[in-house]
Amino acid sequence: MRLTKYITLYAMLLMMLPSRASHAQDNAGSTIYGSLSQFIETGLKNNYGLRIVRNEEKMAENNATLANAGYLPVISAKAGYDGSHYSSNATSRQDGSVTKSRNTLDHGFSAGINAEWTIFDGFKIQTNHKRLQELKQQSRTQTRIAIEDYVANLTAEYYNFIQQRIRMRNLRNAVKLSKERLRIVLERYTIGSASRLDLQQAQVDFNADSAQSLKQHEILATSRIKLYEMMAVKDMNSRIQVGDTTIALDQTLEFDTLLSSMLRNNSSIHISSHNRRMAELDYKTAMSRDFPYIKLNGGYNYSHDNYGGGTTKKRDNWGANFGVTMGITLFDGKRNSQRRNAQINIENTELASKQLEQSLRADLADLWQAYKNNLRLLALERENLITAQENHYIAHERYMLGDLPGIEMREAQQSLLNAEERILVAEYNTKLCEISLRQLSGSIMRYTERL
C-alpha cells in the first residue's frame, strides 16, 4: 500500500512540472523577435513618454520666433459705429430766444489700420530672442536626457530579462536533477535499499525546486511585460525572443576616456551651461532698463458722420497718421535689486556647475570602482563554478553507486546552483555598472548600434 501511494504521488508530481506549464503559457499570443538595438529602435519610436517630450521640444521651437521676441511690429485693424439720440433747448445770449430741437439723431462709422513698432528697447528685444533660442536648445537637451534615460532603462531591463531567462534555465535543470534523484530513490525504496526518510526528503527537495521554478516563471513574465510596456507593445501576451542568450560585457572601457567623454558630452553638464547662459540673459534684461526706448507708430483711418441737427448734414474724414515715441525710465525702485539679484544668480549657476561636475566625477569614480571589482568577482566566481561542476559530477557518480547519502548529493546540487546564481548576479551587476558608466560619459547611444 505504501509503495502504491508513493508511485501515485510521484506520477502526480511529474504532471505538475513547471516546464510543461510554462511551455503551455509561452505558446499563447504572437512572438516578438529582436536584438537590443531593434528593441531600442522600436521603443524610441513608440514610447509615449518620449513622444510627449518631443512634442514639448516642438513647442519650444515654435516659440523661438522673431515675433515672440518683439522684433516685428504690431498691426491692428478696427471698425466701429456709434450714435446718439437727443432733444435740446438752446437759448440765445443776444435776445434770449429759445431754439428747440427734438429727437435729433447723430451717428457715424469709423474704420482704420494702425501699427506700432518698437525699434529699440535697451537691447531687451535682442535679449528676448536669445532667450527663446536658448530655451529651444535647452528643450533639445532635455529631450536628449529623456532619450538617454530611456535607452539606459531599456538596456538594463533587456539584460534583466536575459538574466531571468538564464536563471529559469538553471532552475529547470535543478528540477530535472531533483526529478532524477526522486526516481532513483523511489526505485531503491521499492527494492528496499532506501529508507522512507530518503524518499520523503527527495520529494521535499523536488517540490521546493518545482515551486522555485514556478516563481521564477512569474518573475520572467514580469520582466517581459515591463519590456513591452517600455516599447509600447499593446499585446502583453506575446512571446519574446531576444537576440542574446548571454549577458555580453564590454571589458574595453578606460577610466580616462570615460572621464574626458563625460566632461564633453554629459547632458547634465550641457543643461548646466544652458542655465548659466539664461542667468546672463536675465542680467542683460535687468540692465536694459537703463536705456531709452524708441517706438514708431502709424495708421490709416476713415470716418463717416451723419448729423441730425446743425448746419452740417454729414462729414467724411480719411487719411494717415504717424509719429515717433521716445522715452526713458528715470526712476524705478526695483531696478537695483533686480540687477544685483541677477548678478548673484550668475554666480550661483557657476557654483552649481562646479558642484555638478564634482558630483559627476565622484559618481564616475564610484561606478568605475564597482565595475572593476565586479569584473574581478566574476572571474573568481567562474573559477568557483568549474569547481562546483566537478564536485557535482563526482557526487552524482558516487550517489549512483550508492556511496553517497542523498543529503550530501543535495548539498552538491545546491552548491552548483548557488555558483551559477552568483555568476549570474555578478554578470548583471557588471552590466549595470557598464550601462551607468556609458550614460555618465554620454555614450549610452552606443547600444542603439546594430552589432
Side-chain angles (χ1 to χ4, degrees):
M1 293 296 294
R2 288 188 303 171
L3 177 60
T4 302
K5 182 179 71 172
Y6 285 120
I7 293 176
T8 302
L9 179 60
Y10 173 65
M12 292 176 62
L13 289 173
L14 293 182
M15 294 175 62
M16 296 172 58
L17 278 176
S19 59
R20 297 185 179 181
S22 302
H23 181 72
Q25 294 180 24
D26 285 345
N27 282 335
S30 59
T31 303
I32 296 178
Y33 300 90
S35 62
L36 173 60
S37 61
Q38 292 171 324
F39 283 178
I40 293 176
E41 181 181 352
T42 301
L44 290 177
K45 180 174 63 175
N46 298 334
N47 183 266
Y48 294 111
L50 293 181
R51 290 164 68 179
I52 292 174
V53 171
R54 290 192 183 100
N55 284 337
E56 292 174 348
E57 180 184 347
K58 291 179 182 178
M59 293 170 60
E61 291 179 356
N62 293 337
N63 290 332
T65 62
L66 295 175
N68 285 338
Y71 270 107
L72 304 182
V74 177
I75 302 175
S76 61
K78 62 180 181 178
Y81 171 84
D82 58 72
S84 62
H85 183 269
Y86 62 91
S87 298
S88 65
N89 293 328
T91 303
S92 174
R93 183 180 297 276
Q94 294 180 352
D95 56 8
S97 60
V98 177
T99 301
K100 296 182 179 180
S101 176
R102 296 292 183 268
N103 298 320
T104 302
L105 176 63
D106 294 342
H107 60 98
F109 168 79
S110 63
I113 297 178
N114 295 279
E116 183 179 75
W117 187 10
T118 302
I119 61 174
F120 182 74
D121 195 13
F123 303 104
K124 186 177 180 180
I125 297 175
Q126 293 87 337
T127 303
N128 286 341
H129 186 252
K130 291 179 181 179
R131 181 194 302 277
L132 292 174
Q133 294 297 322
E134 194 65 39
L135 288 174
K136 182 176 70 173
Q137 295 298 326
Q138 190 175 49
S139 180
R140 289 178 179 175
T141 305
Q142 292 287 4
T143 302
R144 176 185 168 185
I145 290 177
I147 291 175
E148 289 179 347
D149 287 342
Y150 174 80
V151 171
N153 292 332
L154 182 61
T155 302
E157 190 58 44
Y158 175 87
Y159 283 106
N160 178 53
F161 178 81
I162 294 175
Q163 173 191 217
Q164 301 302 338
R165 192 174 62 174
I166 295 174
R167 185 174 287 119
M168 183 81 252
R169 184 173 67 240
N170 293 340
L171 290 174
R172 284 176 176 172
N173 187 54
V175 171
K176 181 180 179 181
L177 294 174
S178 297
K179 172 185 172 183
E180 177 66 12
R181 177 181 160 215
L182 179 59
R183 183 190 66 79
I184 294 172
V185 173
L186 184 59
E187 291 179 355
R188 290 178 178 177
Y189 180 79
T190 303
I191 63 177
S193 63
S195 66
R196 181 180 177 182
L197 179 61
D198 292 335
L199 180 58
Q200 289 178 331
Q201 185 61 50
Q203 289 173 345
V204 169
D205 293 339
F206 175 76
N207 286 341
D209 291 342
S210 300
Q212 193 172 0
S213 181
L214 284 172
K215 182 64 177 178
Q216 181 59 30
H217 180 79
E218 177 184 346
I219 296 173
L220 184 62
T222 299
S223 179
R224 172 177 55 83
I225 293 172
K226 181 64 177 178
L227 282 174
Y228 288 167
E229 179 186 6
M230 298 178 72
M231 292 188 295
V233 175
K234 295 182 179 180
D235 186 6
M236 294 295 177
N237 294 321
S238 301
R239 295 180 59 192
I240 186 171
Q241 187 65 42
V242 298
D244 297 286
T245 57
T246 60
I247 300 177
L249 301 177
D250 185 358
Q251 302 187 34
T252 63
L253 301 180
E254 297 180 357
F255 181 80
D256 291 339
T257 302
L258 292 171
L259 177 60
S260 177
S261 178
M262 181 190 74
L263 297 177
R264 290 194 317 270
N265 303 321
N266 184 271
S267 298
S268 296
I269 292 180
H270 289 173
I271 286 292
S272 179
S273 299
H274 290 310
N275 293 336
R276 172 70 164 75
R277 289 191 287 270
M278 290 292 291
E280 293 174 347
L281 293 173
D282 288 339
Y283 179 76
K284 290 181 179 180
T285 300
M287 293 294 294
S288 67
R289 295 187 175 186
D290 295 336
F291 295 88
Y293 61 86
I294 302 175
K295 298 181 180 180
L296 300 179
N297 56 80
Y300 191 92
N301 295 277
Y302 168 79
S303 65
H304 171 81
D305 296 295
N306 288 302
Y307 303 102
T311 59
T312 303
K313 182 179 180 181
K314 61 181 180 180
R315 180 189 298 272
D316 292 285
N317 295 319
W318 63 90
N321 62 281
F322 48 87
V324 178
T325 302
M326 300 179 62
I328 187 171
T329 302
L330 298 178
F331 176 76
D332 184 354
K334 298 180 180 179
R335 186 188 309 178
N336 291 333
S337 62
Q338 290 180 348
R339 189 161 46 215
R340 288 194 296 267
N341 289 340
Q343 186 66 46
I344 293 173
N345 192 36
I346 293 176
E347 182 181 355
N348 283 342
T349 56
E350 292 176 348
L351 294 174
S353 179
K354 293 179 180 179
Q355 183 183 33
L356 174 64
E357 181 179 330
Q358 184 69 14
S359 178
L360 291 176
R361 285 177 179 269
D363 290 342
L364 184 68
D366 286 341
L367 285 169
W368 178 256
Q369 183 64 35
Y371 170 75
K372 298 300 290 184
N373 187 65
N374 276 296
L375 285 177
R376 290 190 290 267
L377 180 62
L378 181 58
L380 180 62
E381 292 297 346
R382 284 171 176 167
E383 293 179 2
N384 290 338
L385 177 61
I386 295 175
T387 303
Q389 289 172 338
E390 293 177 353
N391 289 341
H392 181 268
Y393 176 79
I394 295 172
H396 182 265
E397 293 298 317
R398 292 182 58 191
Y399 181 74
M400 295 296 293
L401 295 173
D403 193 29
L404 189 71
I407 189 171
E408 293 188 18
M409 178 61 198
R410 176 65 177 179
E411 290 177 356
Q413 177 186 346
Q414 198 64 38
S415 177
L416 176 60
L417 185 62
N418 291 339
E420 293 172 337
E421 176 65 18
R422 288 195 302 271
I423 282 184
L424 193 56
V425 171
E427 286 179 339
Y428 184 64
N429 289 340
T430 305
K431 194 64 181 181
L432 289 181
C433 291
E434 175 195 320
I435 294 171
S436 298
L437 286 170
R438 288 206 170 276
Q439 187 174 12
L440 272 177
S441 64
S443 58
I444 191 67
M445 300 307 291
R446 176 186 179 276
Y447 294 115
T448 63
E449 301 173 1
R450 295 180 181 268
L451 302 177

